[in-house]
Amino acid sequence: MSNTVTNVVFAGLGGQGIIKSSDILAAAAFAAGLDVKKSELHGMSQRGGSVTSDVRFGSEVLSPMVPAQEADFLLVLEPTQVEINRGLLRPGGVLLSPDLIPDGALRNKKSLNVAMLGVLSVLLALQPEHWEQGLKECLAVRLHKVNEQAFALGRRQGEARFKS
Amino acid sequence: MATTQQRLLLSGNEAVALAALHAGVHLGTGYPGTPSTEILEYLDHIGGKAQWSPNEKVALEVGIGVSFAGGRTLITMKHVGVNVAADPLFTAAYTDLIGGLVLISADDPGMASSQNEQDNRHYSRAAIVPMLEPCDSQQAYDFTLKAFELSERHKIPVILRMTTRICHAKTPVVPNQDVTPAPTPEFVRDIPGRVMIPAYAKPAHHRIRAKMAELTRFNEHSDFNRIYPGSSELGIIASGISVMHAREAAPQASLLALGMTWPLPMALIADFVRSVKRCIVIEEGDHLLYEALRAEGLMVEAKPEMYRFSELTVPRVRRILAGDLSPEPQPPKGKPPELCQGCSHRPVFEILGHMDCIVAGDIGCYSLGVLPPFNAMDTCVCMGAAIGVGLGMRHVLPEAQARRVVSVIGDSTFVHSGLTGLAEMVYNPPPTGHVVLILDNSTTAMTGRQEHPGTGRSLGHEPTNKMDFAAVGRGMGIKNVHVTDPMEDPQGFASLLQELLAKDELSLVIAERPCVLAAPMIRVYEQAAEEKLQTSCAGAVGH
Ligand SMILES: Cc1ncc(C[n+]2csc(CCOP(=O)(O)OP(=O)(O)O)c2C)c(N)n1
Ligand code: SF4
């Protein structure tokens, strides 16, 4: 197999859990034994400004940043951030926008980031146990249950949307 | 931290901390600054001894003391922090260190969170110290371990230069812990090696040059550098994150990846240059490597000037290789950051704006006071500059304007480098007096809410001595010292300012109100401290 790298870009606003969701994906891919790199910019972006985070995984990953127009998936948590980031996608790349999760479907709105990972999981080859490990490693124990539910909800939405 | 058997998924910052722990580091010290901050926090988290100093100069001086005493020490700071620590650095290089001293310089090309994008590779040349540049977290780990050994073997400080994408990117690490054991601290007198009066510093300058010559010979064959063989048509020389971008952009090229970038292994480089038809230097920032190789007479190409600015990326490296000088596509313009809702800095900047003050500002969350809707900051240069710059303006502006000048500085910034500014104000008061405003939000908010000497808590949030800003002001001889909460009483704050600006006297106003993001944790720390106190009191009674 040639070295195919999967490129995922997460985008949203500070405080939405962008970094956390990219951590979970990176941990899941790492648990699957793949080479993984994950990169984002910290700092001023924490104060409610735009945040993006890049996750790349495959047999060998070199640069930690997803080159513009090479993202396979663009996962966006905030509708206003869709257009400004669309150019990161490669031709044929998949945009996952927050309207994939119906309003009011989540018990806790804060777990939108994890619900969106559930949607993404339908499109990636990572196994359920890898996702489970990623979620467990990156979230505090008291948050496991609500986030597992959010992930499962996202996965159902993803299946309905992409597997029909 | 994610683990799979022996593999760990770590940021470069975490990798450095883990290596320091494995090297048996006796003390980690530094001052917060993006992108370096998490190193000491993580060192503390995994059980190492780590503490924040009031600023980078003090942190390095403490580190030098640890080394003279035979201990291993890790000192962390962002690139501009090295400017503050430059004075001890340049002379520490002359001394004979004992315990390994590793200085982390975390540069920020592209200025994700900084006031400039200076290239700290200059420091290795200027201060005469060896420099290592890892290209991922594995190398950050390996190089940190080796840096302690190198420092001890050559009795010299070692700079490990990282950049934002090395510090914050998470990549796999296999720790090996293969390191010579840390020495045991013990005082051994060495006056000519440590007392840099001219009589001892003159031979010391010769010694350091000899050490560098020795290090050059070492680096010619060191495993810090690596050749990725490829086509003889194109050769690339790179270091740090540029190695990764270059390997991805030009997988067919031959690549010399330099890990120890000062002193340079010129013979190794010359052989590489001769082995390829076209050789280009891919370096982020200044053309330092290129200039050094050209001075040596090596026929290498530089990147075009336009790529001096900001970070390199894979697409930019492709453009450099293609000689593409066309305008670059602009990255998406996102939503700019703003002060949090409920932030204690908000009412202050509203009032300063309303009063049409000339605001000599400083660095921290409160720098956002410059943006709409406040537009209430007129200068921001470096940490602590608010006070000096405000005084300078007061000295020369026409009286009516001079009276509008206020210096605004955060609490962490005040401790970092505002104290000497206050001394200046007391010593050389402008004819119209001056007003200094400390925005005391009980934390270093900008970099993620670290403690500092004014919070009364240590790096690990344990209680320690607390510096009293009002007492400092009075002790220095400032006539009017006021403590207020502009959030609770904005009207009172505005009239106080008005009153002080009208006087020809010196005033210090301390605006006290915790950062809203820090406040919940501060309550937890305070509660924990109280409970600890109560159980220890109960214990004392029992005994
Ligand atoms: C020499 C130097 N060291 C570190 C930094 C990074 N830095 C910028 S402002 C700041 C402190 C901010 O804290 P404070 O003054 O308390 O203001 P706040 O962010 O809490 O409003 C730090 C650590 C820097 N810019 N320059
Ligand atoms: S983190 Fe704290 S100091 Fe910074 S903007 Fe938010 S409330 Fe203000």
Side-chain angles (χ1 to χ4, degrees), chain A residues 47, chain B residues 339-340 343 345 365 441 445 515-517:
Chain A
R47 313 281 170 280
Chain B
L339 291 173
C340 300
C343 173
H345 299 327
C365 275
N441 61 359
C515 151
V516 287
L517 294 194

Side-chain angles (χ1 to χ4, degrees), chain B residues 162-436:
Chain B
M162 305 170 72
T163 54
T164 302
R165 300 294 179 171
I166 301 295
C167 291
H168 285 160
K170 286 193 176 184
T171 77
V173 175
V174 180
N176 60 29
Q177 304 195 35
D178 184 16
V179 64
T180 49
T184 308
E186 181 195 12
F187 183 72
V188 181
R189 181 161 284 149
D190 174 12
I191 291 172
R194 295 181 196 154
V195 182
M196 289 302 114
I197 55 170
Y200 297 134
K202 282 176 188 169
H205 187 191
H206 289 274
R207 258 197 328 272
I208 180 73
R209 295 291 172 190
K211 287 178 188 179
M212 290 309 266
E214 216 174 290
L215 277 159
T216 305
R217 286 192 292 277
F218 160 80
N219 199 21
E220 291 290 355
H221 306 284
S222 84
D223 54 8
F224 286 113
N225 313 309
R226 176 168 172 190
I227 290 177
Y228 295 87
S231 142
S232 61
E233 292 296 312
L234 175 65
I236 296 176
I237 304 177
S239 67
I241 194 67
S242 309
V243 169
M244 292 299 175
H245 299 327
R247 287 181 63 199
E248 182 160 338
Q252 78 293 350
S254 299
L255 186 128
L256 170 57
L258 293 175
M260 182 161 165
T261 53
W262 198 258
L264 287 167
M266 277 303 177
L268 174 79
I269 296 172
D271 283 347
F272 178 81
V273 173
R274 277 186 219 109
S275 74
V276 291
K277 277 210 187 106
R278 174 187 178 209
C279 190
I280 180 160
V281 177
I282 301 287
E283 56 189 327
E284 214 164 46
D286 295 335
H287 297 90
L288 275 177
L289 193 48
Y290 166 75
E291 283 164 5
L293 302 191
R294 286 309 300 257
E296 198 71 13
L298 295 174
M299 291 310 290
V300 290
E301 280 175 45
K303 60 183 180 181
E305 177 65 13
M306 61 188 281
Y307 300 102
R308 180 198 291 270
F309 306 92
S310 199
E311 293 188 299
L312 291 184
T313 59
V314 173
R316 293 188 95 200
V317 173
R318 288 190 191 120
R319 289 172 58 102
I320 293 171
L321 293 174
D324 188 345
L325 298 178
S326 66
E328 297 181 79
Q330 287 308 304
K333 268 243 176 310
K335 178 173 173 289
E338 58 180 17
L339 291 173
C340 300
Q341 292 310 315
C343 173
S344 54
H345 299 327
R346 282 179 171 268
V348 172
F349 286 102
E350 270 161 25
I351 289 163
L352 290 170
H354 276 298
M355 290 175 58
D356 197 21
C357 286
I358 297 171
V359 177
D362 220 300
I363 311 189
C365 275
Y366 54 96
S367 303
L368 293 170
V370 70
L371 297 181
F374 309 105
N375 307 307
M377 189 173 287
D378 295 289
T379 72
C380 172
V381 179
C382 68
M383 289 186 73
I387 301 179
V389 169
L391 289 168
M393 294 200 291
R394 280 255 185 184
H395 282 302
V396 300
L397 282 174
E399 186 184 335
Q401 291 185 342
R403 282 200 186 285
R404 288 161 49 205
V405 179
V406 180
S407 291
V408 177
I409 186 166
D411 49 347
S412 187
T413 303
F414 175 69
V415 181
H416 178 280
S417 46
L419 289 159
T420 44
L422 277 197
E424 162 70 13
M425 173 169 91
V426 174
Y427 186 50
N428 295 311
T432 56
H434 191 44
V435 178
V436 172

Side-chain angles (χ1 to χ4, degrees), chain A residues 34 38-39 50 56 84 137, chain B residues 7 165 170 248 332 335:
Chain A
L34 297 169
K38 178 198 116 96
S39 173
S50 299
R56 316 185 74 191
I84 56 171
E137 272 171 14
Chain B
R7 281 168 88 226
R165 300 294 179 171
K170 286 193 176 184
E248 182 160 338
K335 178 173 173 289

Side-chain angles (χ1 to χ4, degrees), chain B residues 449-485:
Chain B
R449 303 182 291 283
Q450 290 74 32
E451 306 290 356
H452 61 73
T455 69
R457 283 177 300 274
S458 64
L459 181 145
H461 312 291
E462 302 283 335
T464 180
N465 302 312
K466 182 174 157 104
M467 182 173 159
D468 179 341
F469 296 155
V472 167
R474 286 192 201 99
M476 280 200 181
I478 296 171
K479 189 157 179 201
N480 311 298
V481 177
H482 297 267
V483 180
T484 131
D485 178 352

